[in-house]
Structure formats: C-alpha cells, structure tokens
Amino acid sequence: MTVLSRSLGVTRGSFYWHFESRESLLDALVHRWRSRNTGVIVDAVSKADSLDDGILALFAVWTDHSRFDPKLDQAIRNWARYDDALRIRLKTEDDARIDAVAAMFERFGYPQPEAFIRARVICFTQITYYALDIASEETEAQRMSYLEAYFRCFTGRDIHPATADAYRDMLIRGATPS
C-alpha cells in the first residue's frame, strides 16, 4: 500500500478509509473489472435481435473504452499469471464471455460446436489484439476498412453493405448500438 499510496500522492490512511486491507482493494478492483468488462459483453450480445446486431454490438463494446477497459483487462490478465486464485476467476470470466457469445450464435442458427468455436475465435482474437497493442499501430480508417472482412471471418457470411455503413456512421457519431 505504501508504494501505491506514494505513486498516487495520497496517504496510506486514505486507502484504509475506503478499504480495510490490501486484499479488499484488490477484490474491489477485480469486482469492477468483472462488472465492467464481462458484464458489458454479456449484456450487448444477449440483447441482440439479429446476428448482425449482436456482432456489431460486440465490436462497439470493444471500441468504446468508456464501456470496456482494455488496459484493465490486460492488467488483470498479467496479474493472473502470478496469482492462482485470480487465474481461476479470469478463466470463469472468459468462459462467461465465450458462453454469452456462443449462445448468441446458437440463437441465430449456428449449431454446436461451431457456435462455441466461433465465440472462442472472436473473444481470443480481441484479447490478442489488446495484448499486442495493435490499436496503436492502426488508424481508425484502417480499422473501419476491416469491418466486412472481420464480420465474414467471424460469422462465415457477408454483412449487408447498408448495415456496415450504418455501423460506421454510428461510430463516427459516437453513438452506441441499442
């Protein structure tokens, strides 16, 4: 707590005002990560009225860092490499994310195990995207130009051009899909 307090410019006592111990601080951090990063994914795909809406809602979650925090996600993943209990919690959260995406694929006609494998591929691709910090190497225009190819890769079919254009317009306006 001393190192963290110093780096934030606060006293150790101020931490203990909000948290009983270092463990309670870490538990709060993990809880925030779970509710923010897993919860938003599960919510986005469970509300989808179509596969297109679900995939695009998932993409929108991952590109809107006010909803999904990629740095926090990577920090938890790095921490879990050294903490066996957290590694178990991380696997549980990854499983919840994959299960939610697989359930969406199933809802829209994909059989098992295809729905599960597509969900794993889409989730693991995004984890790797953040881990390798690919976003810092791409412009927004480059990322937008990959929409149709990613959609085809993840779903096995083409996205309707009007749907892709509407999604790009929505991102440019800063809106989020419903």
Side-chain angles (χ1 to χ4, degrees), residues 84-157:
D84 292 337
L86 183 58
R87 188 175 308 119
I88 292 166
R89 291 171 82 175
L90 173 62
K91 182 175 180 344
T92 300
E93 294 308 304
D94 281 342
D95 289 348
R97 295 173 188 188
I98 290 166
D99 290 347
V101 175
M104 177 192 65
F105 275 111
E106 282 185 85
R107 242 183 12 258
F108 299 114
Y110 290 77
Q112 281 297 346
E114 183 179 350
F116 171 71
I117 296 303
R118 286 187 184 278
R120 282 182 114 189
V121 168
I122 197 170
C123 291
F124 292 166
T125 297
Q126 193 61 37
I127 291 167
T128 303
Y129 186 86
Y130 291 135
L132 298 177
D133 195 23
I134 294 169
S136 69
E137 300 169 9
E138 291 178 341
T139 66
E140 185 175 334
Q142 284 175 308
R143 283 192 299 277
M144 293 273 211
S145 75
Y146 300 147
L147 175 62
E148 288 83 358
Y150 271 121
F151 190 91
R152 188 178 320 103
C153 178
F154 293 141
T155 66
R157 65 174 183 76

Side-chain angles (χ1 to χ4, degrees), residues 65-84:
H65 297 169
S66 70
R67 296 169 65 202
F68 182 92
D69 187 340
K71 290 182 179 180
L72 178 58
D73 210 64
Q74 286 303 304
I76 295 291
R77 290 177 189 289
N78 290 337
W79 176 17
R81 291 178 184 182
Y82 306 99
D83 184 316
D84 292 337

